[in-house]
Amino acid sequence: MRPYRAIFGLCTVGMLVVASTDVMMLRIVQPMLNEFGTVGTEATLYLPIAIVGVFVLRGIGSYISEYGLAWIGSRIVFDLRCEASDHLLRMPTSFYDATSAGFLLSKVTFDAQQVAAAASEAVTVSIRNTLTIAFMLAYLLYINWQLTLIAFAAFPFVALTIRQINKRLRRVTGLVQERTAALTHVLEEAIAAHRVVKVFGGEKYESDRLRAASNRLRLAMAKQSAAAALGTPINQIIVSFAVGVILWVAVRQSTDRSYGAGDFVTYVLALLNLLNQLKTLSNVTATVQRGLVAAASVFALIDEPPEVDTGTVDLGRVRGEIRFEHVTKRYDPEAPAALSDVDLVIAPGESVALVGPSGGGKTTLVNLIPHFYAPTEGRLLLDGRDLATIHLKELRRQIALVSQDIVLFNDTIAANIAYGMMAGAPREAIERAAEAANALEFIRMQPEGFDAIVGERGIRLSGGQG
């Protein structure tokens, strides 16, 4: 919001004008009602002009505030998306290995849009209605301060209700965002692998996954709507007690001719307007909570540490000698080493083929060269220079990469082998297929065996295993 302070200030002035017009209308009508039947026609000549003037003023203020805040909201979501997207491009490979693409897409699209809604619609309603409430309270105190003090008694109960509902909304809103991201992930996965889905007859399987994810999101959104809808009736019931007492006292005072009919009517109108503003203000809390949770989600992504570049050396044209010196790589301190004490020299111009069983570390070895990962132990040298001392951009400028194209679903190994029309195949048939693909050994090495989750597109497996 800081870069747009001037526009926000102009919007605030517009909302201040809109809020003041309600009191202006009451002040115009009040003396007319007090002298109704006795006022001369010449005294009413200004009335149409005054009413039109108030509404013109209200229209100008409304346009400035609503358009200005909508513009600020669109700029905020643009800035957030650009910053989040740029940050994603700087994230290390290990971050993408551990994070679903669907969740990242949801943060940059859905969550950022929720922030925009809170920054425009919710802020407009919150500030404008708060200002209107302040003007109405001042007007009510001016007309009859004793009656208005009764209304103040209801405010703590209304505030407590809003606070409790906001807690519930924040929890449920987080659940909605998680399930929106999960649905995006399932849909992205099915679309990306559409050829595989068609060839293996997996349409029904994917349809069931999408329906299940959509239904989980529907249930979360129903909980969100229920929590948001609860605030208005509870607050209305609380305020109705105060209104009932106020009207009872006001009628008794009017019978004593403490003040005129115009005072009474305008007081009731101002009170009803105040209640309507409170109702609208309580309704917008759902949008505010969605925006706050979404902002926390997007900023959590932006706060993720980017890929570290410790290099200080800029390379010119390199000869291309690659040397591995006692290189060991572990992806997890508790897991077995993907590479263990590797010594290897690749001469400039030399072609090398890495041959071995699935899970043998071939992909890991290749991924160390462009420094997608750093070795746990040992070091890699390019033309005698340690890769850790070379700028990442300079290092990767020297490398061409043709990666493996893996299509695996975020499901168990067994479900990926027996996919589509083969779903439900007996375990013996699945094991025979794995053995024929030379994958049985590494599958049995997994803690969950065939029930191990492979991750999105097989990120938890090596390239050869996938």
Side-chain angles (χ1 to χ4, degrees), residues 8-20:
F8 182 75
L10 184 61
C11 294
T12 303
V13 172
M15 288 184 283
L16 189 65
V17 170
V18 172
S20 65

Side-chain angles (χ1 to χ4, degrees), residues 171-192:
R171 289 195 301 268
V172 178
T173 299
L175 184 63
V176 168
Q177 291 182 340
E178 289 176 9
R179 294 185 177 180
T180 300
L183 176 60
T184 305
H185 161 67
V186 174
L187 185 60
E188 185 267 342
E189 195 173 56
I191 292 173

Side-chain angles (χ1 to χ4, degrees), residues 118-366:
S120 55
E121 173 192 347
V123 170
T124 301
V125 174
S126 299
I127 296 178
R128 184 179 61 202
N129 285 40
T130 301
L131 290 171
T132 303
I133 290 170
F135 277 114
M136 285 298 166
L137 281 174
Y139 182 67
L140 291 171
L141 287 169
Y142 170 75
I143 295 177
N144 193 321
W145 64 269
Q146 297 99 328
L147 291 180
T148 308
L149 289 181
I150 299 174
F152 278 101
F155 289 166
F157 298 99
V158 172
L160 181 62
T161 301
I162 293 175
R163 180 182 177 184
Q164 294 301 318
I165 290 174
N166 281 348
K167 289 181 179 178
R168 170 70 175 168
L169 275 172
R170 184 165 294 190
R171 289 195 301 268
V172 178
T173 299
L175 184 63
V176 168
Q177 291 182 340
E178 289 176 9
R179 294 185 177 180
T180 300
L183 176 60
T184 305
H185 161 67
V186 174
L187 185 60
E188 185 267 342
E189 195 173 56
I191 292 173
H194 68 95
R195 292 185 179 88
V196 176
V197 173
K198 292 179 183 299
V199 168
F200 287 94
E203 289 89 349
K204 185 179 184 307
Y205 177 76
E206 295 304 324
S207 176
D208 291 342
R209 292 177 71 210
L210 287 167
R211 286 175 180 272
S214 296
N215 190 52
R216 287 193 292 271
L217 176 59
R218 179 189 65 82
L219 293 174
M221 294 183 74
K223 291 180 181 179
Q224 186 183 57
S225 299
L230 192 61
T232 298
I234 291 178
N235 287 332
Q236 286 179 333
I237 291 171
I238 293 173
V239 173
S240 67
F241 285 101
V243 172
V245 174
I246 289 171
L247 291 178
W248 181 77
V249 175
V251 170
R252 289 180 65 86
Q253 288 182 348
S254 66
T255 57
D256 297 337
R257 301 190 179 277
S258 300
Y259 52 93
D263 297 328
F264 176 74
V265 171
T266 53
Y267 187 91
V268 172
L269 290 175
L271 184 61
L272 293 175
N273 186 291
L274 176 66
L275 296 180
N276 184 59
Q277 301 302 323
L278 285 172
K279 173 187 172 183
T280 306
L281 199 58
S282 65
N283 287 342
V284 83
T285 55
T287 305
V288 173
Q289 292 304 314
R290 285 196 295 268
L292 291 175
V293 175
S297 173
V298 176
F299 285 119
L301 171 62
I302 293 173
D303 290 339
E304 286 282 346
E307 186 174 34
V308 177
D309 185 1
T310 59
T312 58
V313 176
D314 291 332
L315 296 175
R317 179 72 176 175
V318 299
R319 294 185 303 109
E321 181 190 74
I322 300 172
R323 184 183 296 270
F324 289 72
E325 293 183 348
H326 304 291
V327 171
T328 297
K329 175 61 184 174
R330 288 185 178 87
Y331 292 102
D332 190 296
E334 305 300 324
L339 293 175
S340 181
D341 197 27
V342 173
D343 283 296
L344 174 67
V345 177
I346 303 175
E350 183 179 6
S351 297
V352 175
L354 303 175
V355 180
S358 297
K362 302 183 297 298
T363 302
T364 298
L365 186 145
V366 172

Side-chain angles (χ1 to χ4, degrees), residues 27-38:
R27 290 294 297 158
I28 291 172
V29 172
Q30 182 183 359
M32 302 294 298
L33 293 176
N34 282 332
E35 301 174 11
F36 193 76
T38 61

